[in-house]
Amino acid sequence: MNSHLRIVTIAAAFWFGILTKSHGFESNWEGLGPRLSPLPMTVDSVAVPCISLAGDWRFNPAPQTGFEKYDAIQTEKWANIRVPGEWVMQGFEVKKDSAAAYWREFEIPDDWHERRIKLRCDGVYSDATVWVNGREAGRHIGGFTPFELDVTDSVKCGRKNIITLAVKNESLADSLASGTQYACHPLGGITRKIQLLALPPVNLSRLHIQTTFDKDFRDATLAVELAAANEGAGNISGLQASLALTAPDGRNIPLSPNRVSLNRLTNQVSMPVIQPLKWDNEHPNLYTLTVKLELAGQTLEVVSQKIGFRQVEVRGNQLFLNNVPVKFHGVCRHETHPLLGRSLPPEWERRDVEIFRDGNCNFIRTSHYPPAEEFTEACDELGMLVEVEAPFCWADRTHLTGSQIDDFVTRQELEMLEFYRNHPSVTHWSLGNESENAWTNYFLPAAKRFKQLDPSRPINYSSIHFGKDGGFCDIGNHHYPGLGGPEKYAANPRPVTFDEYCHLNSYNRRELTTDPGLRDFWGQGLEVMWQKMRQARGCLGGAIWAAIDDTFFLPNGDTVGYGTWGPIDGWRRPKPEFWNMKKVYSPLQLHEDGVPANQSVKLTIENRHDFTDLSELTFEWKLGERSGTVKTSAGPGHASILEIPVTGDGQLLEIRALSPRGFVEDFWRIALGADPRNALPKPSGKPGPVVLEKTDGAIIVHGPGYSATINAKTGFFASPFVGPELLVLAKNADNCGGVQMAGKEREVPIFSDTCNGWKASSIKTETTPSGAVIRVEGSYAQARGIYNYCFNSDGSIVVRYTFTVTEQGQCNPRQIGVVFKLPAECDTLIWRRKSHWSYYPEDHIGRAEGTAKTFVKGVPLSGLAGARTEPKWSWSADGNQYGANDFRSTKLNFIEAALLSPAGHGLRLLGDGSQHLRSWVSIENVNLLAAQYANEGAAPFFSEHVVPDRPLKAGDLLEGEVRMEIR
C-alpha cells in the first residue's frame, strides 16, 4: 500500500471513528466526511443515469407556510425563474432573513425503479431546505460548496414528482464568506447545477486518486482509494471493482492489479504505470480511469474520472511540480458576470481559463470561494494551476461557538476537499482569506484534517500579514508586500506566495474617469515587481488582484460591486492591463533592441517556460510582403538564437510565437536598421518670416502659414487656441462615494483642474533673426514665473515655462505640464510615441502610434463600470462625456502628436519622447495637455511600483517646454 494512502486511512479512522456496517459494509460513509458520489456513466438497466434539473422553475419571494406541499395549480401564479441563477439578477427581491421558495415538477424514468436516487446540488446560496413530494430530504448551509441528499424514499418512478426548496440568502455561511457584503447584493438562489443521479443499491460512494513518481520521475504509481455503500438489503460478499486506464491518444494502458475487492472501510490499490505522459500546465495530458463495480459477474455501475500524472511537493522554500520548481504567475478570480452575478454559464467558466492561459498566466486563485466544477475541469484540460480557496473571507468578524466551528467551517472545508481533490490542476488549498484573527479557533482544526486526509497537496492561509497561520501551513502568505517583499522572503524557510499583489487601479475612480491611461501605466510597475519575484528563490510567485471587473448591473438600474479591477472587464474584453500582463508574464524574452541595417537577423531568445522546449513552438515572421516560419531549440531556463532569413533598413520585422497549445504566446516588432518609430519630427510647412502686430488689446503673430493672437492683458494665446495654462494636478484618491459601488450610476466630474488666479505682471516682445519672442511674467495662486513663446521662421513655436511653487502649490502631483484649449471641432488625436513594448494590439490605448476620435460612432456613453449591455466593440471605444477611453488616456513619451479638426486645422506637437500627452473634451473645447511629469496616480495598493512620487513644496521649480506648430 502506498504510504500516503495508509496515512489517509488511519487519519479517517482517528478523526471520525469506525462506523456501523451492514452485511460487512458501512451503512453511513458520510461519517468520514461529506458523501459526494462519483457521477455514474452507466448504471445496469438504466438508460440515463443523470438528469439535470436546470431550466425554468417557479419562484415565490415571499411564500406562505406549507408551500412545500403545493401542487402545480397552487403555484401556477408564481413567477418563472432561471436555474441556475441568482434571484436578484433576475429582478426579484426577497426580504432579508426570509426564505424564498423554488418549485418544479420532474419525472423519474421507470427504469430508475429500485435504484438509489441522489439529489446533487453544486451550489445553493446559502441556506437551503429541500423537500421532494412534500417530504423533507435535508438541509444544507453553505453557498459555494456542494451537497448530496438521498431522496429514494420520496420519489415515484414513472410519474411526475415535485421538488421544492426554501432558500435563504442570509446565514452564518453568508456571513463567514462575506458573500453579500462583498458583491453588494444578495447572492441568493440555486446558483450552480442541480441534478438527480440513479445509482444501484450497491454503489460506489467514494473515488480518490493520487499519482506519485519514482525517484527518477520516470515511472509512476497510480493509487486508487474506493469505497462502496450497501444501500440495499442483500449480502454482497465478493463485490469487486475493475479498473481500466486510457491514454490521451486512446490507447489502453495495462494495469496490474486491475481489480480490487471492496471488503473494508476503505479499499486501496496501487498500480505501476510505465513512463506515463506527465500532466503539467504546459502539457495538460489527461488519462481516463474507468471503474466498473461488479457483483457475481454483473456490472452494477461504471464511473469515469479524468486524471493527470503529476506530483506536487514543497521542498525547502520552493514548490515542485513533477520535480521542477515552479513559480505562480497568475490572477485572483471571482466568478462574475455583469447580468448574471456569481452564477456563470458553463461556457464562461471555460472561456475564463482560455483567456488567462492566452494571457500567459499559469495560475489562478479562486478567490474567495471554491469555483464551479466546470472551471476546474477546464483547468485540467487546458492547463492551469489552481489554488482552490475555501468560502471564508473576513470570517473573524463573525462570532462562532465551538460546535458551530465544526458545523460551518470544518464541514465546508471538507466538502471542498472532497469535491476537487481528483483534479490534477489543483496544486494546493487555501483555507480562507484575510481572516487574520481566526486561525487557531476556526481554521486550525480543518488544517490538521487536510494534512491527514490529503497529504498530496500543500495548504495555505491567505493573509494580509505574514505568519498568521503560526507557521503551520506548507506555504506562507503575504498580501501586497510591496517592492521589498521579494527580497524579504528570498531566503524564507518555506515558500511564500503573494496571493494578492499589484492591485489594479480601481478605487481612485475620479482619476480613472479622467484618465484611463493609468491602466496602461500599471504594466510598468507589474514588470518591475515580477522581475523581483522571479529572482527571489523563496518567493513562490503570486496572483494579481484581480482577474475580472467585479461589477454587476442590476435589473432595477443599480450598479453594484467592488470595482473595475480586472485586466478584462465583466464582458471579458481585454483592458489595457491585459496586454501588459501578457507581456510581463511571457515565457519568452526576445532581444528587442533592433538589428543593424542590412545584417542577417539573429536574435537571442530566452526560454522562461517551466516544462516546454522552444522546439515545441513555431515562430512566424513577416516583413512587408514576405513571410515564413522558423524553429529553434532551448530547454527551460536556457537561451537560443532565432535566425530569420531577411535583411533590411528602416523596416519593422514582425514575429509571433505560436504555442503548441494553440495560442500566440508573444508578439514583437523588431527594427531592421533605423527605427522609423523613433524618427524625430520636423515642421511640416515651408519656412517664412515672423511678423508681430500690436493692437490695443492683442498681439498678433503672423508666421509661415498661420496667424495667432495673444491677449495683451493675460499674455495667453486667444486664437486659434487658448493657453497655455499651467497644470499641477495632485494625486486624487477620490472613490466617488465609497470603495464599493452600491446604487445608481455616479456622476463623476473630471479632475484636470489647471492652476487658478493667473495675473500677468509683464508682457514683453522681441524680434530676433530667427523669428520673434514674447515673454510673459506673472503668477497663479499656486506658483509664480515666466512663459516664453518663441516663434521660429521654420514654422515651429516653442513654449517654455519656468515657475516657482508657492505655499498654495504644495501637493503630491500626478501630472505637471501645460494645457491648450482647442475648438470643439478638433476631434481627432493622432500620435506616435516611444512605447514600452515593441508590439501592441491595434485597439490598445498604449500602442506606439494611432488615431483616436473624441467619441466612437455608435458607442453609447457609459458610467464607472462600463457598458451595461454586452458590447460589440473594444474596451478602448467605451467613453464618457469627456471622450472615449482611447482619446482621453495619457500617451506616455510622445514623439509626435496632433489634435485636428476634420479640415486638418489644429495643433501639432513635436516631441522627443520625454513628454506625455493627454486630451479630453470639455463643454466648449477640446483640451490638450503636454506634461513634463506623470505617474500612476493614487492607487492605494500600487503607488510605489512605477514612478517615484515628486511631492512639491514652496520654492520648488517647475519647468518645461513644448515645441509645436499651428495647422
Side-chain angles (χ1 to χ4, degrees), residues 727-746:
L727 179 139
V728 182
L729 190 65
K731 285 189 173 185
N732 190 324
D734 185 1
N735 55 34
C736 306
V739 173
Q740 291 175 293
M741 293 180 283
K744 301 298 180 185
E745 289 279 9
R746 303 172 188 172

Side-chain angles (χ1 to χ4, degrees), residues 224-280:
V224 180
E225 180 180 278
L226 293 163
N230 182 7
E231 297 178 308
N235 189 319
I236 53 172
S237 59
L239 185 68
Q240 292 185 325
S242 67
L243 308 172
L245 186 66
T246 306
D249 62 3
R251 291 179 299 111
N252 292 323
I253 306 300
L255 294 178
S256 181
N258 61 4
R259 306 184 76 80
V260 58
S261 296
L262 302 180
N263 55 10
R264 297 189 305 274
L265 178 67
T266 56
N267 305 269
Q268 298 94 7
V269 59
S270 295
M271 298 155 285
V273 180
I274 306 303
Q275 287 187 281
L277 296 172
K278 297 182 179 71
W279 186 99
D280 61 63

Side-chain angles (χ1 to χ4, degrees), residues 119 263 311 420 651 791:
L119 175 69
N263 55 10
Q311 183 172 322
Y420 301 96
Q651 298 169 286
F791 300 90

Side-chain angles (χ1 to χ4, degrees), residues 688 690 767-772 791-794:
V690 176
T767 301
T768 69
S770 60
F791 300 90
N792 301 312
S793 59
D794 63 2

Side-chain angles (χ1 to χ4, degrees), residues 847-919:
R847 59 198 183 277
E849 54 188 347
T851 299
K853 289 284 190 177
T854 49
F855 301 100
V856 179
K857 186 177 181 180
V859 175
L861 302 185
S862 56
L864 289 168
R868 295 189 68 87
T869 57
E870 187 165 6
K872 304 302 180 183
W873 54 87
S874 71
W875 180 90
S876 62
D878 282 1
N880 58 27
Q881 60 183 310
Y882 311 113
N885 288 340
D886 197 13
F887 180 81
R888 73 182 195 278
S889 59
T890 293
K891 314 299 182 185
L892 298 172
N893 307 112
F894 75 87
I895 296 173
E896 181 179 7
L899 187 55
L900 303 174
S901 70
H905 301 306
L907 200 60
R908 178 177 177 238
L909 304 184
L910 293 78
D912 61 4
S914 64
Q915 297 169 297
H916 319 297
L917 173 78
R918 179 162 62 85
S919 56

